[in-house]
Amino acid sequence: MAFGVLYDFTGNSNVSKVIKARDLVKESWFLDAVNYPQPIDLFIVLGHNPVRTTVSSSTFGTIYSTIRGLRPNIPIQAFGGHTHIRDFVVYDTISTGLESGRYCETLGFASMSGINSSTFHGNQKPRGVPNPTQKAVKVVNGTATGNASTPSSNLVYSRRYLDWNRLTFEYHATGSQESTFDYHSGQRVTAEITQDRKQLNLTALYGCAPETYCQSCKPFLAEGNIFKLLQTALAAT
């Protein structure tokens, strides 16, 4: 069972309607879905939404609390965003959340084993690939804590963050050294982008920055911050 939930967003125009999470969890269709009488192996909650519930704009906590109150024994897996960081949070022994960077800089990968399913009869531990081994342990102020509201679980997890670039994908892809890694539709898109860059005269090299600049990795107006470079450039003109 999957739900898509936005963060506490208030910047929409009058041609759209955003249902607040606190109102969503009261709607009959949502409650009926959570209480669906057929077997549910896992709840998926995803959206442009911080996975860490201590972030003021996050609404995952509202969704999690409602689902957990109605279905205490079913795992919940959240996939979020918005805060532009690589993050992982444990809500309880059978519920976690993954957030994977920003602007396609990161491919986040999560896996879990041990789901108690009455409908899945496949292999719980596939051969030839690493299998999850880590229990979901909630840590508060550096100390592992239990959660009496959730049962003991056989669920185990793993996660990885892959840098979003061709070399990473080639390395992890099956048969990555083969010429078949490139797909004809992708090559066609690359050719179109290259042609457009030439037409817009974006291929000429006019100079090279002497160092790397960033927006947030260094303090505002510090050396190496892009706004310091902007200030210097404007002063010179």
Side-chain angles (χ1 to χ4, degrees), residues 118-167:
S118 61
T119 58
F120 176 73
H121 305 289
N123 189 355
Q124 290 277 3
K125 295 183 177 180
R127 295 181 179 180
V129 295
N131 283 279
T133 60
Q134 180 65 52
K135 292 273 190 178
V137 178
K138 189 171 184 178
V139 177
V140 178
N141 296 327
T143 303
T145 62
N147 191 331
S149 65
T150 55
S152 59
S153 169
N154 293 322
L155 282 179
V156 285
Y157 297 83
S158 69
R159 73 183 188 275
R160 294 193 71 175
Y161 302 105
L162 306 181
D163 291 336
W164 189 291
N165 57 62
R166 181 189 174 90
L167 291 177

Side-chain angles (χ1 to χ4, degrees), residues 83-195:
T83 48
H84 297 178
I85 60 174
R86 297 179 179 185
D87 200 6
F88 187 82
V89 62
V90 174
Y91 303 120
D92 60 41
T93 57
I94 55 175
S95 303
T96 69
L98 177 73
E99 189 169 337
S100 304
R102 59 180 180 178
Y103 309 142
C104 271
E105 67 163 15
T106 303
L107 174 64
F109 181 86
S111 59
M112 55 194 301
S113 296
I115 294 177
N116 184 20
S117 173
S118 61
T119 58
F120 176 73
H121 305 289
N123 189 355
Q124 290 277 3
K125 295 183 177 180
R127 295 181 179 180
V129 295
N131 283 279
T133 60
Q134 180 65 52
K135 292 273 190 178
V137 178
K138 189 171 184 178
V139 177
V140 178
N141 296 327
T143 303
T145 62
N147 191 331
S149 65
T150 55
S152 59
S153 169
N154 293 322
L155 282 179
V156 285
Y157 297 83
S158 69
R159 73 183 188 275
R160 294 193 71 175
Y161 302 105
L162 306 181
D163 291 336
W164 189 291
N165 57 62
R166 181 189 174 90
L167 291 177
T168 296
F169 298 147
E170 282 185 343
Y171 179 82
H172 289 282
T174 300
S176 60
Q177 304 306 315
E178 300 176 2
S179 59
T180 53
F181 184 81
D182 288 320
Y183 200 62
H184 59 83
S185 59
Q187 291 178 319
R188 184 172 63 250
V189 171
T190 298
E192 292 174 356
I193 293 173
T194 301
Q195 182 61 34

Side-chain angles (χ1 to χ4, degrees), residues 6 36 38 48-49 57 59 65 77 80 90 97 124 128 145 148 152 171 180 184 187 189 206 219 221 225:
L6 190 63
Y36 192 63
Q38 298 298 320
H48 193 95
N49 209 334
S57 61
T59 60
S65 298
Q77 179 60 48
V90 174
Q124 290 277 3
T145 62
S152 59
Y171 179 82
T180 53
H184 59 83
Q187 291 178 319
V189 171
Y206 293 99
L221 294 184
N225 185 289

